[in-house]
Amino acid sequence: DADVTQTPRNRITKTGKRIMLECSQTKGHDRMYWYRQDPGLGLRLIYYSFDVKDINKGEISDGYSVSRQAQAKFSLSLESAIPNQTALYFCATSDPSGGNHEQFFGPGTRLTVL
Amino acid sequence: AQTVTQSQPEMSVQEAETVTLSCTYDTSENNYYLFWYKQPPSRQMILVIRQEAYKQQNATENRFSVNFQKAAKSFSLKISDSQLGDTAMYFCAFMKPPPGANNLFFGTGTRLTVIP
């Protein structure tokens, strides 16, 4: 089974709808991240969390909110989706305590807002 | 924010040949981490290789190696004996050490095609 999972894998929604993207991990990592990938722009940080009580905005947080329901779960919400939020969304986890700064990515959610 | 630049949007290489992907970055930090991630058509982000800035020795992972030039802020990826499975987008990424977000700053990617 994958260590970092995302649901749904693909989603088409309409402008103005509320949508939630979910991320779960079995790696036991405290740190979780949400990134957005747009063509030609690479991945950019939306939000990050170091534990269930520690949530921080990233570079492009406007229009998004997050919830850290448990160590293993980190959800991203679009309160009122708009077409320019059409993108590929990735969740990632890490545990730098042992000196390994690798981030482990989920399979991504492709979101289309019509 | 840190800046990571990949100046080659697309590259191609013949199977079994060697190819080098370029990456430069801008930072005032002395200690940091650099990564190359591969994204095949499955869209999964896969770590290829990593480098700690305090290590002078270039990292190597099987057919993948880097040329890390700290003074020039350059971090290129060399793929030897290219295989069809190497066809993918390759992203260079920078990370500042803790404290802080400890997130990745990505370049815009290089699309590599391995030609049979």
Side-chain angles (χ1 to χ4, degrees):
Chain A
D1 288 341
D3 295 321
V4 185
T5 58
Q6 293 182 232
T7 56
R9 294 294 312 277
N10 298 280
R11 178 74 183 268
I12 300 174
T13 191
K14 294 182 178 180
T15 297
K17 294 292 187 181
R18 184 179 188 276
I19 185 167
M20 178 180 290
L21 309 183
E22 299 187 345
C23 176
S24 295
Q25 52 113 348
T26 59
K27 300 189 74 66
H29 291 169
D30 286 328
R31 299 187 177 201
M32 297 187 74
Y33 302 80
W34 276 104
Y35 291 92
R36 167 178 170 161
Q37 182 181 12
D38 296 279
L41 290 179
L43 282 75
R44 292 176 293 166
L45 182 66
I46 305 172
Y47 268 96
Y48 65 99
S49 170
F50 284 179
D51 64 43
V52 294
K53 297 180 181 180
D54 181 10
I55 292 177
N56 304 278
K57 293 182 177 180
E59 179 186 355
I60 53 167
S61 60
D62 287 349
Y64 302 95
S65 62
V66 292
S67 173
R68 185 82 183 265
Q69 303 92 325
Q71 185 205 37
K73 296 184 181 295
F74 191 35
S75 300
L76 176 72
S77 293
L78 287 68
E79 296 301 326
S80 180
I82 56 178
N84 76 1
Q85 292 178 313
T86 293
L88 188 54
Y89 291 85
F90 285 98
C91 174
T93 75
S94 73
D95 176 15
S97 62
N100 178 2
H101 295 269
E102 178 181 356
Q103 292 200 356
F104 298 86
F105 286 82
T109 294
R110 182 170 298 282
L111 176 66
T112 302
V113 183
L114 301 177
Chain B
Q2 311 301 313
T3 302
V4 179
T5 301
Q6 294 179 250
S7 58
Q8 305 152 315
E10 295 186 9
M11 294 191 72
S12 61
V13 61
Q14 291 291 137
E15 192 174 8
E17 296 295 309
T18 296
V19 64
T20 298
L21 308 184
S22 300
C23 173
T24 59
Y25 56 92
D26 184 25
T27 185
S28 59
E29 304 285 337
N30 185 51
N31 191 26
Y32 47 86
Y33 306 93
L34 296 164
F35 304 83
W36 278 98
Y37 276 87
K38 169 185 178 180
Q39 187 179 42
S42 68
R43 78 194 189 202
Q44 180 72 47
M45 295 292 288
I46 303 166
L47 179 66
V48 175
I49 199 166
R50 82 192 82 186
Q51 175 82 41
E52 291 88 351
Y54 63 86
K55 292 184 176 179
Q56 292 188 339
Q57 186 173 4
N58 289 323
T60 300
E61 289 286 343
N62 300 314
R63 297 183 294 108
F64 299 88
S65 61
V66 298
N67 183 4
F68 173 48
Q69 301 289 328
K70 190 173 183 179
K73 298 180 183 176
S74 171
F75 183 60
S76 61
L77 174 70
K78 185 173 80 171
I79 306 174
S80 303
D81 185 25
S82 295
Q83 301 175 0
L84 296 179
D86 295 334
T87 292
M89 282 288 289
Y90 287 81
F91 291 96
C92 178
F94 171 99
M95 178 189 287
K96 291 194 296 184
N102 208 211
N103 63 292
L104 291 163
F105 293 91
F106 285 87
T108 53
T110 296
R111 184 175 301 279
L112 177 67
T113 301
V114 179
I115 302 168

